[in-house]
Amino acid sequence: PFGLPATAMHPAWGMSETSSGVTYSHTFSLSTTKADDPFVEVGSPIPGISVRIVDAQNNVVEEGTIGSLQIRGATVTSGYYRNPELNREAFTFDGWFKTGDLGFLREGRLTISGREKDVVIINGANYYSHEIEAVVEEADGLVTSCTAACAVRDGETNTDRLVVFFCPLSIEDEDLER
């Protein structure tokens, strides 16, 4: 976030722009993961990182319960440069970073299950990313579970634009022209 203009920074962006990798897994395998699995485990926290899952009142939830992911540790950003208001939004009073991700812990391993605010707002109308993704995945020729819909804003408009990422089954030139 340090290289981005203040208008581009948002605390709900998640872990990637606030820290280096915070989890690892030696157990993930494509052979044990099915296309219809709703979530994929991302692993255990690396040394020096703590993760916790909390409810809307910031109370730690029981293992296996979906809640808001918070992280802290040596590789997590200490804050947004010269932006105390955003820092108050992004961090809890006791120093945990609010990633904006939803997830749960099972035997100390983290699974990401979604985003707290998974909404694209275009000209005042709310569109839920998971609903857009479900409609897109009904199209023929796409890899299931490889679709993501999100909002982007260029800073010069007052509304989001929709971007959809997907993976085609074929990448032949004539298929891409459809």
Side-chain angles (χ1 to χ4, degrees):
F2 294 105
L4 297 174
T7 56
M9 295 184 285
H10 193 278
W13 281 359
M15 293 183 294
S16 62
E17 73 291 332
T18 61
S19 64
S20 62
V22 297
T23 61
Y24 70 96
S25 176
H26 295 294
T27 60
F28 178 80
S29 169
L30 289 176
S31 64
T32 61
T33 303
K34 300 173 191 68
D36 60 348
D37 286 344
F39 310 116
V40 176
E41 178 184 295
V42 295
S44 302
I46 63 172
I49 292 293
S50 297
V51 299
R52 71 181 185 183
I53 306 295
V54 299
D55 61 18
Q57 291 74 40
N58 216 39
N59 298 312
V60 175
V61 299
E62 292 182 28
E63 188 168 285
T65 302
I66 293 177
S68 299
L69 172 64
Q70 296 178 353
I71 61 175
R72 72 176 176 187
T75 64
V76 179
T77 185
S78 59
Y80 292 96
Y81 184 66
R82 295 184 182 174
N83 199 331
E85 182 180 327
L86 191 54
N87 286 327
R88 281 189 296 279
E89 289 179 37
F91 290 89
T92 64
F93 71 94
D94 54 350
W96 290 84
F97 180 77
K98 303 174 196 175
T99 67
D101 294 307
L102 297 173
F104 58 91
L105 292 170
R106 182 169 292 128
E107 297 179 10
R109 295 183 311 271
L110 176 64
T111 297
I112 301 293
S113 60
R115 298 282 297 153
E116 289 178 352
K117 184 181 175 194
D118 209 10
V119 178
V120 178
I121 303 171
I122 301 175
N123 295 325
N126 292 348
Y127 301 93
Y128 294 92
S129 297
H130 67 277
E131 292 175 352
I132 296 167
E133 293 160 2
V135 169
V136 170
E137 288 196 345
E138 290 178 7
D140 291 335
L142 299 181
V143 177
T144 304
S145 298
C146 292
T147 303
C150 65
V152 295
R153 189 175 292 194
D154 62 15
E156 297 189 19
T157 62
N158 293 331
T159 191
D160 291 338
R161 291 184 304 153
L162 174 65
V163 175
V164 178
F165 299 91
F166 61 91
C167 184
L169 289 171
S170 172
I171 54 171
E172 300 298 321
D173 288 342
E174 60 273 5
D175 291 334
L176 294 176
E177 292 175 5
R178 288 193 271 156

